Amino acid sequence: MKKTSKHPRHYLSGLGRTVFFALLVGGISANALAQISDNVVRIGVLNDQSGPYAGELGPGAVVAAKMAIEDFGGKVAGKPIELVVGNDQNKPDVGLNIARKWIESDGVDAIIGGSASSVALAVQDFLREKKKPLLIAGSGSADLTGKACSPTSIQFVYDSYSFPKAVVGSLSKQGVKTWFFITVDYSFGKTMQAEATHFIEQSGGKVIGSVRHPLGTSDFSSYILQAQASGAQAIAFVNAGADFVNGIKQAREYGLNKNGRILTSFGVTTNMVLGVGLASAQGMQFADPFYWDATAEGRTWSKRFMERFNGQAPTFQQAGTYSAVLHYLKAVEASKSDDGPTVVAKMKLTPINDFAMKNVHIREDGQTMRPMYLVQVKTPAESTSKYDLYTIKGIIPPEQVWRPLSEGECPFVGKKS
């Protein structure tokens, strides 16, 4: 029998040879042709697992990610799915070191990020260089889809622009014109207050006073008395964690929520409201991207989550983690690839459809254009269970929530409407 040479020029001819050399000229690598690198799709959940943000994401986000993988079927494009978890401790250097090891040594294909924005910005810079997806489910800096944007990043839940815009717009429609701020004295509070002030003035309202308090304040009495004396229609507590809990509890003691005043805040979670208690938080109004009891489908998913997570209802960040993982896996399945730019492009072309979002598209800059709820905290008499916290007052459409694309200054988007 005549031996056949294995050299391509001997066994390729005609169209086959043309295609072969076209691939070589086009620079398509063996990895690209393999589609799924190392025959496994690995997803990393990177957030605060033990510190101040662990209650909003932490172990609950891991539960949500596992649920997404299970609901998808445990495999994608015929390949197994692996989940790895990292604790960034809210430190940029720690988060960046974990991300670098995952990408360069451990074969992680995408990272679901959360917690401090400083961590997310550092990790996003690195993943932009490596052309790997960063799916953001819990970091709030608007720069993540603005000046620091990445072609392979997607913001799934909220940012520092959306909450103030949604709240101010909704309360302005209720006739609120005058505002007073009680703001924590670091970048989070200053940024949120500045954004809110812009929207208040844009809507014809006025900020008639503000005070700043140190992080970790226990006595809010002097700030509350100034807010009370101002006569403002809305008092915004621009803080979080223990500061929020202490501030709202003391506001209740001083009757700050009486005489028609509305207490509000930006980025309130169910855990924060539970920490305050309905007796003190009742009547507060704010925007929320997801509330576990808002729809029948969300309620069904949330009860499954609660069964796996010690009876705790999911926060909007944890629900956002599920959405991010599921949508990523759908895009991998559709493209039959775990190549970062390929998958993110497919994610942006495909509307998000799950228990939390229906036909929601992802904008070119990576912003998920989801609506938000305007919620009001129930009175103790209205609540029928521990997590029965909110009354839905309305749905805020995405165009009234998110920064216009033309204003974001995302370098790879440019000035587009």
Side-chain angles (χ1 to χ4, degrees):
M1 181 179 293
K2 183 179 179 180
K3 292 181 69 175
T4 302
S5 170
K6 293 182 179 180
H7 195 284
R9 69 184 180 188
H10 291 292
Y11 69 82
L12 286 177
S13 61
L15 180 60
R17 183 177 297 177
T18 301
V19 171
F20 176 80
F21 285 109
L23 293 178
L24 291 180
V25 172
I28 296 179
S29 68
N31 285 338
L33 291 172
Q35 302 300 311
I36 302 296
S37 58
D38 66 14
N39 292 315
V40 177
V41 174
R42 291 188 183 87
I43 301 170
V45 174
L46 180 63
N47 60 38
D48 178 5
Q49 289 286 310
S50 57
Y53 297 137
E56 317 312 322
L57 282 147
V62 178
V63 170
K66 288 180 178 178
M67 288 176 66
I69 292 170
E70 291 170 12
D71 289 351
F72 193 78
K75 288 189 174 183
V76 58
K79 307 298 181 182
I81 304 164
E82 292 183 4
L83 189 72
V84 296
V85 180
N87 183 1
D88 63 30
Q89 303 173 46
N90 293 308
K91 298 176 181 179
D93 59 333
V94 173
L96 185 57
N97 286 337
I98 293 171
R100 180 173 284 110
K101 180 178 182 295
W102 279 355
I103 299 300
E104 294 181 347
S105 303
D106 298 345
V108 169
D109 299 297
I111 294 177
I112 315 298
S115 65
S117 291
S118 57
V119 179
L121 288 163
V123 172
Q124 177 163 275
D125 282 346
F126 173 68
L127 294 189
R128 184 192 300 111
E129 174 191 339
K130 297 297 182 179
K131 298 183 179 180
K132 296 289 187 178
L134 176 63
L135 311 180
I136 305 159
S139 303
S141 174
D143 284 346
L144 288 162
T145 55
K147 296 177 181 179
C149 67
S150 167
T152 55
S153 291
I154 297 174
Q155 170 64 276
F156 273 86
V157 189
Y158 73 97
D159 65 14
S160 57
Y161 181 102
S162 59
F163 274 137
K165 185 175 183 180
V167 170
V168 170
S170 297
L171 295 188
S172 294
K173 291 178 181 178
Q174 297 179 36
V176 172
K177 292 293 184 184
T178 55
W179 293 72
F180 189 98
F181 287 94
I182 299 176
T183 301
V184 65
D185 193 12
Y186 72 99
S187 57
F188 160 78
K190 295 174 184 177
T191 299
M192 286 284 197
Q193 181 177 331
E195 293 284 12
T197 298
H198 169 72
F199 300 128
I200 290 166
E201 294 173 349
Q202 194 176 60
S203 66
K206 184 178 180 181
V207 177
I208 60 176
S210 66
V211 289
R212 290 180 181 169
H213 67 84
L215 182 65
T217 294
S218 58
D219 184 1
F220 281 80
S221 58
S222 64
Y223 310 122
I224 290 168
L225 290 172
Q226 290 180 66
Q228 207 164 36
S230 73
Q233 295 170 288
I235 313 297
F237 283 78
V238 191
N239 51 23
D243 288 333
F244 176 84
V245 172
N246 289 332
I248 298 300
K249 282 184 175 180
Q250 291 173 44
R252 170 70 173 177
E253 293 170 4
Y254 280 84
L256 191 59
N257 59 339
K258 295 181 179 179
N259 301 320
R261 279 187 295 264
I262 295 174
L263 303 189
T264 189
S265 189
F266 312 129
V268 180
T269 68
T270 51
N271 288 343
M272 291 166 66
V273 173
L274 285 173
V276 172
L278 293 183
S280 296
Q282 61 182 298
M284 287 192 74
Q285 293 187 46
F286 43 83
D288 201 318
F290 167 81
Y291 175 50
W292 75 273
D293 200 23
T295 67
E297 194 174 354
R299 191 158 46 247
T300 298
W301 182 87
S302 296
K303 288 179 178 178
R304 289 176 52 215
F305 177 93
M306 293 164 77
E307 289 170 358
R308 295 166 177 242
F309 197 55
N310 303 316
Q312 296 181 41
T315 63
F316 55 76
Q317 297 99 320
Q318 290 160 350
T321 297
Y322 178 97
S323 295
V325 173
L326 187 66
H327 196 60
Y328 172 78
L329 291 175
K330 288 179 178 179
V332 172
E333 181 69 40
S335 59
K336 298 295 187 291
S337 172
D338 60 4
D339 173 69
T342 300
V343 175
V344 171
K346 179 62 70 173
M347 293 175 78
K348 290 180 179 181
L349 287 172
T350 308
I352 302 172
N353 278 290
D354 58 30
F355 67 87
M357 291 182 272
K358 299 298 179 187
N359 295 317
V360 169
H361 78 276
I362 300 170
R363 206 166 58 183
E364 185 179 355
D365 60 350
Q367 180 58 61
T368 297
M369 299 300 290
R370 66 189 300 161
M372 286 195 185
Y373 296 108
L374 177 67
V375 304
Q376 182 168 339
V377 179
K378 290 184 174 183
T379 67
E382 292 171 329
S383 177
T384 59
S385 63
K386 179 180 179 180
Y387 288 100
D388 181 22
L389 301 174
Y390 304 157
T391 297
I392 306 294
K393 290 180 65 69
I395 297 176
I396 311 168
E399 60 270 19
Q400 296 177 22
V401 171
W402 303 104
R403 178 178 55 202
L405 188 61
S406 59
E407 296 177 11
E409 300 183 45
C410 176
F412 69 85
V413 172
K415 298 292 183 180
K416 298 181 180 181
S417 59

